[in-house]
Amino acid sequence: MFPQNRPPAPLQPPPGSSASAAAAAASGAPQALKLTYPETLDRIKEEFQFLQTQYHSLKMECEKLATEKTEIQRHYVMYYEMSYGLNIEMHKQTEIAKRLNVICAQLIPFLSQEHQQQVVQAMERAKQVTMGELNASIGVRRLPPLPHTLQAQHLSQHVAQGLQGLHSMQMGPHPGGLPHPGLALGGGSSLLALSGALGAQLAAKEGHERAHLEAAAAASSMSNGDKGRTADYLSNGKKRRADEKEFMTDYGSDADKSDDNLVVDEVSWPVFASQNPLAVQGAYPPGAFSLPPPGVNGELAGAAAAYGAGLHLVSPQMNGSAAAAAAAGYGRSPVSPHPHMRVPGLPASLQSTASGKPAYSFHVSADGQMQPVPFPPDALLGPGIPRHARQIHTLNHGEVVCAVTISTSTRHVYTGGKGCVKVWDISQPGSKSAMAQLDCLNRDNYIRSCKLLPDGRTLIVGGEASTLSIWDLATPTPRIKAELTSSAPACYALAISPDNKVCFSCCSDGNIVVWDLHNQTLVRQFQGHTDGASCIDISNDGTKLWTGGLDNTVRCWDLREGRQLQQHDFTSQIFSLGYCPTGEWLAVGMESSNVEVLHVSKPDKYQLHLHESCVLSLKFAYCGKWFVSTGKDNLLNAWRTPYGSSIFQSKESSSVLSCDISPDDQFIVTGSGDKKATVYEVIY
């Protein structure tokens, strides 16, 4: 019954018995405290009251913390609103500073060397603004600094002082050896009169308009009697202000627009709200843009090609007489040369070539060193290199044209606008009207991309909707034969594999969706972009996919293994890109207005600076020897691969949002913000 080797314990008397009490007394054990029922209830009551007091104390503390939390939240909201307003002001002041830099870059070449140094020193002083001065100027101590606010003010003041200091001085010879008729600075009264007249108008304008017109007044004062240029500038200023209302995102009053959208000709273009939504707008009046000739980076031709509405393009290979003759034949006058704007952040010694002309193409080495590119003598010569291009058709779509494509037969052009794609027959000359209209997406949503399969029988359309439409064009009446739906609210760009079996869509959520066109199913998603994927292209062998995003990155994907191979980081959002069909070059169009041409397996690249605002579309010719880019600055630029010698340039009447090149490299199609598409014939 008991464990082995253990004697049984002696029996204990039951508790409460006399024997138990006697045993406790004998052992000296303390007596247990005996409480009556009333005493126990009193103690419980005391404990309850103590806990109740603690509860009330904690409740009051909690209410106090809640009040403090509400106050902190209110202060946070106030701080956020103030910070947001200051960021908006920063964008505006950044624009002012950039425009003043452009204006000063135009004015400086007309000054003598001594006066150039004075103005440059004034500009440098304006840039060296201390944080204390900045805080004192805006009266805010705890909010993020606005370095461009005071810088723009100082810049305008110093430039005005520098120009007034040149009053009554005679200008030296033009650096390029050209005479300056009537450029003596003797007319001080004209400067004051013009400044006073402009001052009355500037009082009611916003800061960036004020700086713009003040700089125009300063520029006009430099030429005594040069009233024609001033009148042109002021009249063009009105047009620029109208364009700015059309282009710029209205952060202050348009509350129902997304903070992440840049409005380009009515179309919401996705960008980061924290970044400058508008690159430098050119301060050039119409007709004052130059085309560089071959051989020398930045060298200006004696007479360049005319441009404007209905422009015909003339190659910079022509000399002045040839350009004039060609322009006369087209009913246009040649454009006089004009120095191009300087490259921001680059030393002045590197912003010109050996001939002293402004450079626009730079080679960037692996260690980040930039040098102007010396173009080879045959840069614009040889088979497959265009001489110029001429406009042959205008297609009045009726809405902003965000997407264009041209058929393999070069007979049909497809233009995508708001809620529909229109089909045009361009095989015959004469005025055009759409031969068909394909209603896609929702009525008020813009088409962002349309891709035609090589057989011309299938068109794929994507845009501001979660659905891609696949159209059967082989039937007598085009019809939708399938729709592909993803979780993303919008598609920004499309690409088709070389075997025409797979479609890739760049989505607003950053994903790259891979679609099987035969089974009409989603087969894969590439995830990596942290913001919207904006542009896409695929290698000719169908093994690599290149995508650009609003997260400032370009990524390369291995289509066989389904993984990311490369990532290139930039300081600007990526709006467009194209992969060279014949070589290892990738051209990238930036929100910052730069075009960068990267070697996909080497660290060096080229940086091109002819655009004045964000580069919205880009396309390589199928021969791979040249490519075109378009931008919000109304320009169509044609570049030599890879170093970017300018082949020709077109100035349209509004932002150029999209472009395409025919498979035989004979035609270029652009879509623009003035609700039309333009067809150019490429002349070799």
Side-chain angles (χ1 to χ4, degrees):
M1 176 176 181
F2 298 103
Q4 295 181 357
N5 303 325
R6 182 178 178 184
L11 295 175
Q12 299 291 333
S17 65
S18 59
S20 173
S27 62
Q31 287 281 357
L33 180 63
K34 293 184 179 180
L35 297 175
T36 62
Y37 286 110
E39 292 174 339
T40 303
L41 292 175
D42 289 339
R43 293 193 63 176
I44 292 174
K45 183 179 180 181
E46 291 175 358
E47 289 291 332
F48 173 76
Q49 290 175 345
F50 175 74
L51 292 175
Q52 193 174 35
T53 303
Q54 279 191 325
Y55 165 75
H56 286 298
S57 176
L58 292 174
K59 182 178 179 182
M60 292 178 63
E61 188 69 23
C62 182
E63 290 175 351
K64 182 180 179 181
L65 290 175
T67 303
E68 291 179 355
K69 175 186 174 183
T70 303
E71 186 69 13
I72 291 174
Q73 287 178 337
R74 187 176 67 84
H75 283 288
Y76 171 77
V77 171
M78 293 175 59
Y79 175 88
Y80 180 83
E81 291 175 349
M82 295 175 67
S83 176
Y84 181 70
L86 290 174
N87 283 334
I88 297 171
E89 185 66 21
M90 179 183 68
H91 295 322
K92 295 180 180 179
Q93 299 297 340
T94 302
E95 182 67 16
I96 294 172
K98 288 183 177 180
R99 293 188 179 185
L100 286 175
N101 284 332
V102 173
I103 293 171
C104 291
Q106 294 178 343
L107 295 178
I108 288 175
F110 291 94
L111 303 177
S112 65
Q113 189 66 29
E114 176 186 358
H115 300 155
Q116 287 185 26
Q117 293 177 358
Q118 293 179 10
V119 175
V120 170
Q121 291 173 0
M123 293 172 63
E124 290 301 322
R125 288 196 300 270
K127 293 178 182 177
Q128 297 172 357
V129 181
T130 64
M131 194 61 64
E133 291 174 314
L134 178 61
N135 289 336
S137 69
I138 62 177
V140 178
R141 289 291 183 267
R142 296 183 298 168
L143 294 182
L146 301 178
H148 291 286
T149 304
L150 198 59
Q151 176 180 335
Q153 297 173 359
H154 280 215
L155 183 58
S156 60
Q157 293 171 2
H158 282 299
V159 171
Q161 292 172 3
L163 291 175
Q164 290 176 359
L166 298 180
H167 164 57
S168 76
M169 299 181 183
Q170 186 73 22
M171 292 190 62
H174 188 280
L178 298 177
H180 293 289
L183 288 186
L185 294 176
S189 60
S190 64
L191 168 64
L192 298 177
L194 183 54
S195 299
L198 290 176
Q201 300 176 10
L202 298 178
K205 301 297 181 181
E206 292 188 10
H208 68 282
E209 293 178 324
R210 182 180 301 111
H212 207 136
L213 290 176
E214 285 175 350
S220 64
S221 69
M222 296 179 59
S223 57
N224 183 22
D226 193 6
K227 299 179 180 178
R229 187 195 306 177
T230 304
D232 288 344
Y233 192 97
L234 295 177
S235 63
N236 292 326
K238 296 179 181 179
K239 180 177 184 297
R240 275 192 298 275
R241 290 193 293 275
D243 292 341
E244 288 166 3
K245 292 179 180 178
E246 180 183 15
F247 295 154
M248 291 186 63
T249 304
D250 188 359
Y251 290 94
S253 60
D254 200 355
D256 59 343
K257 288 184 181 178
S258 168
D259 294 340
D260 297 336
N261 287 340
L262 165 66
V263 176
V264 180
D265 293 297
E266 303 178 6
V267 184
S268 176
W269 221 264
V271 294
F272 286 137
S274 61
Q275 294 191 347
N276 177 20
L278 190 64
V280 179
Q281 288 293 320
Y284 303 107
F289 203 93
S290 59
L291 292 178
V296 181
N297 182 10
E299 187 80 36
L300 299 180
Y307 68 88
L311 159 78
H312 297 293
L313 300 176
V314 182
S315 168
Q317 296 170 0
M318 297 183 179
N319 58 25
S321 59
Y330 292 137
R332 302 287 188 272
S333 59
V335 180
S336 58
H338 194 288
H340 197 272
M341 69 176 181
R342 303 283 178 168
V343 180
L346 194 64
S349 59
L350 297 181
Q351 298 207 28
S352 60
T353 61
S355 62
K357 302 298 183 179
Y360 62 88
S361 175
F362 298 87
H363 179 266
V364 184
S365 60
D367 57 358
Q369 296 295 320
M370 293 180 64
Q371 293 292 337
V373 177
F375 296 145
D378 61 345
L380 303 181
L381 303 175
I385 307 300
R387 292 189 294 116
H388 58 92
R390 64 185 183 93
Q391 177 183 323
I392 59 173
H393 297 295
T394 298
L395 312 177
N396 294 309
H397 182 95
E399 294 288 350
V400 175
V401 180
C402 302
V404 294
T405 190
I406 186 170
S407 64
T408 304
S409 64
T410 69
R411 178 176 180 177
H412 295 125
V413 168
Y414 300 80
T415 59
K418 183 184 289 187
C420 74
V421 173
K422 293 186 178 181
V423 187
W424 310 81
D425 186 344
I426 63 168
S427 59
Q428 300 296 328
S431 60
K432 301 297 176 185
S433 59
M435 58 181 293
Q437 177 173 316
L438 316 180
D439 294 323
C440 311
L441 312 183
N442 296 326
R443 184 174 182 179
D444 294 328
N445 293 350
Y446 279 96
I447 308 298
R448 287 301 185 87
S449 182
C450 55
K451 291 295 180 182
L452 190 66
L453 297 192
D455 60 6
R457 300 169 62 91
T458 302
L459 181 72
I460 305 175
V461 180
E464 297 174 345
S466 59
T467 301
L468 303 182
S469 300
I470 303 180
W471 285 82
D472 184 357
L473 306 179
T475 57
T477 301
R479 62 178 183 87
I480 295 179
K481 64 179 180 180
E483 289 187 335
L484 310 176
T485 302
S486 68
S487 59
C491 166
Y492 293 152
L494 295 170
I496 307 297
S497 64
D499 60 5
N500 304 319
K501 295 181 179 179
V502 177
C503 174
F504 304 89
S505 62
C506 287
C507 297
S508 56
D509 60 4
N511 293 336
I512 313 299
V513 181
V514 185
W515 303 94
D516 183 334
L517 292 179
H518 178 71
N519 297 319
Q520 297 159 7
T521 57
L522 189 155
V523 296
R524 176 181 289 171
Q525 289 194 74
F526 292 115
Q527 297 178 333
H529 287 289
T530 57
D531 200 358
S534 56
C535 47
I536 190 169
D537 203 0
I538 189 171
S539 62
N540 262 7
D541 59 5
T543 61
K544 293 179 181 179
L545 190 71
W546 293 88
T547 60
L550 305 180
D551 57 357
N552 299 13
T553 67
V554 169
R555 301 169 190 257
C556 178
W557 310 87
D558 188 323
L559 296 180
R560 292 169 297 190
E561 300 181 9
R563 63 185 181 90
Q564 181 176 311
L565 294 177
Q566 298 180 31
Q567 177 174 327
H568 300 269
D569 296 313
F570 298 90
T571 58
S572 170
Q573 292 179 313
I574 313 301
F575 278 3
S576 55
L577 62 76
Y579 185 75
C580 181
T582 59
E584 297 185 334
W585 295 101
L586 181 77
V588 182
M590 309 284 190
E591 186 266 343
S592 65
S593 81
N594 290 348
V595 174
E596 297 202 4
V597 185
L598 317 176
H599 195 285
V600 298
S601 59
K602 298 178 182 178
D604 60 336
K605 62 182 179 181
Y606 295 94
Q607 195 174 97
L608 315 179
H609 293 269
L610 279 183
H611 280 287
E612 300 172 35
S613 187
C614 45
V615 183
L616 299 177
S617 69
L618 191 149
K619 178 72 174 181
F620 268 94
Y622 285 80
C623 68
K625 296 181 180 180
W626 55 281
F627 65 95
V628 297
S629 61
T630 72
K632 200 164 76 66
D633 54 2
N634 307 2
L635 290 177
L636 163 69
N637 277 313
W639 313 86
R640 182 72 162 91
T641 307
Y643 40 78
S645 177
S646 180
I647 302 174
F648 58 79
Q649 189 178 80
S650 168
K651 182 80 168 183
E652 297 196 8
S653 56
S654 184
S655 302
V656 188
L657 282 70
S658 53
C659 68
D660 194 20
I661 300 177
S662 62
D664 59 2
D665 294 339
Q666 295 294 320
F667 299 96
I668 300 171
V669 184
T670 63
S672 64
D674 54 3
K675 304 181 180 182
K676 69 180 182 182
T678 304
V679 182
Y680 297 90
E681 181 184 7
V682 181
I683 308 299
Y684 292 91

